[in-house]
Amino acid sequence: MADALEVLAHASDWSGGGDETARRDHRLASRETFMIYLQRSHHVELRRAVDALRMSLGTAATGVGEEGEPAQEVLATITATDFPLAPPDGGNMRALLSKTWTELVDGAGLVLLNRIPLDEFTPAEVALIYVGIGAHLGTLVPQSDELEDVLGFVKPAEGAMAVRGYRNTAEQNLHTDGTVDFVGMLCIRPAAGAAQGRGASRYSSSTAAYNDIVRRAPAVLPTLFRGFRYHLGENTAVITLHN
């Protein structure tokens, strides 16, 4: 772990801190700061990759899930090799995703891929695109050990599923999913009331939170780095963080 008194000078510290001397040069002043735009040539690549993946999966690529996506066990098997990206007509999705990776790891830690043409694909194909892009950025892991879902839908549910934070209408506080390095989200349709600011997604910099603790209360850091308890269904586990 880093020195408990060390402020991390990194582009992912984008809150600016509480005073001018603590402010970083890197700020997320607007969505444009972390936006990467897809061009039409990238759309062509996505179509080719989806068609290749559908041919490889055969009938398993057919939508059977909640929103017409393939079964979770099918999505979980997809790798970068299964979603081949080749540059047609000057476009290069691999280069775009390489830029995305660099920004996630060494930059702000937050990227918005804009202009994915959802209206040109079926729900099952959109699921394949989401998982295929994710496979090029890392290894897919389930969001939930109980559900084993590499792709989950943020919308209200009934019964046991309604207790999950993203499956009811209650506001979610800022949190982390501690078993992963990256979390991906894909907006299929705007939330009801989006024009009034309802259904908005919020993100916060963990680097900025750490630096704020360093400045304000560094004595608590050794306790925080010993690990913390969290709830896993009917079990309780201790996660220990290491740098």
Side-chain angles (χ1 to χ4, degrees):
M1 120 179 186
D3 188 326
L5 298 179
E6 177 187 354
V7 171
L8 301 179
H10 194 273
S12 58
D13 176 14
W14 32 261
S15 77
D19 56 79
E20 283 300 325
T21 59
R23 293 188 186 279
R24 302 283 304 138
D25 291 334
H26 187 99
R27 296 186 178 89
L28 298 187
S30 70
R31 287 159 57 96
E32 294 295 326
T33 311
F34 55 92
M35 194 94 73
I36 296 179
Y37 289 96
L38 275 70
Q39 306 300 323
R40 185 61 197 171
S41 56
H42 299 129
H43 300 173
V44 174
E45 279 193 74
L46 291 177
R47 167 49 66 191
R48 292 181 179 180
V50 166
D51 289 346
L53 182 53
R54 288 185 60 187
M55 183 175 295
S56 173
L57 292 175
T59 56
T62 304
V64 296
E66 184 174 353
E67 290 270 354
E69 81 282 5
Q72 295 290 341
E73 57 267 26
V74 173
L75 297 174
T77 65
I78 295 173
T79 66
T81 303
D82 299 320
F83 196 73
L85 296 175
D89 306 322
N92 193 329
M93 274 296 297
R94 285 186 178 178
L96 185 144
L97 293 180
S98 177
K99 179 180 179 181
T100 299
W101 168 265
T102 299
E103 188 63 24
L104 288 173
V105 175
D106 296 321
L110 178 66
V111 172
L112 176 57
L113 296 179
N114 200 5
R115 298 177 182 169
I116 296 177
L118 302 183
D119 57 343
E120 297 181 14
F121 297 92
T122 67
E125 290 173 337
V126 170
L128 296 180
I129 290 174
Y130 176 83
V131 173
I133 288 176
H136 278 272
L137 294 172
T139 301
L140 302 171
V141 296
Q143 196 276 340
S144 163
D145 288 337
E146 295 91 345
L147 300 176
E148 297 184 346
D149 50 344
V150 297
L151 188 159
F153 290 90
V154 182
K155 67 177 187 178
E158 297 180 355
M161 277 299 299
V163 303
R164 301 192 62 81
Y166 63 96
R167 297 311 306 268
N168 58 62
T169 58
E171 181 180 0
Q172 283 204 75
N173 293 323
L174 292 170
H175 64 282
T176 61
D177 289 316
T179 59
V180 298
D181 296 311
F182 303 136
V183 175
M185 302 185 73
L186 174 65
C187 181
I188 299 175
R189 65 186 68 89
Q196 291 75 42
R198 293 192 290 272
S201 296
R202 297 180 296 171
Y203 303 92
S204 178
S205 165
S206 58
T207 305
Y210 171 83
N211 283 346
D212 201 40
I213 295 174
V214 170
R215 297 184 184 103
R216 296 170 183 265
V220 306
L221 283 173
T223 300
L224 293 175
F225 275 105
R226 283 207 302 265
F228 57 94
R229 293 187 177 274
Y230 73 105
H231 193 57
L232 266 181
E234 298 179 353
N235 305 311
T236 300
V238 174
I239 298 297
T240 302
L241 303 179
H242 300 282
N243 187 21

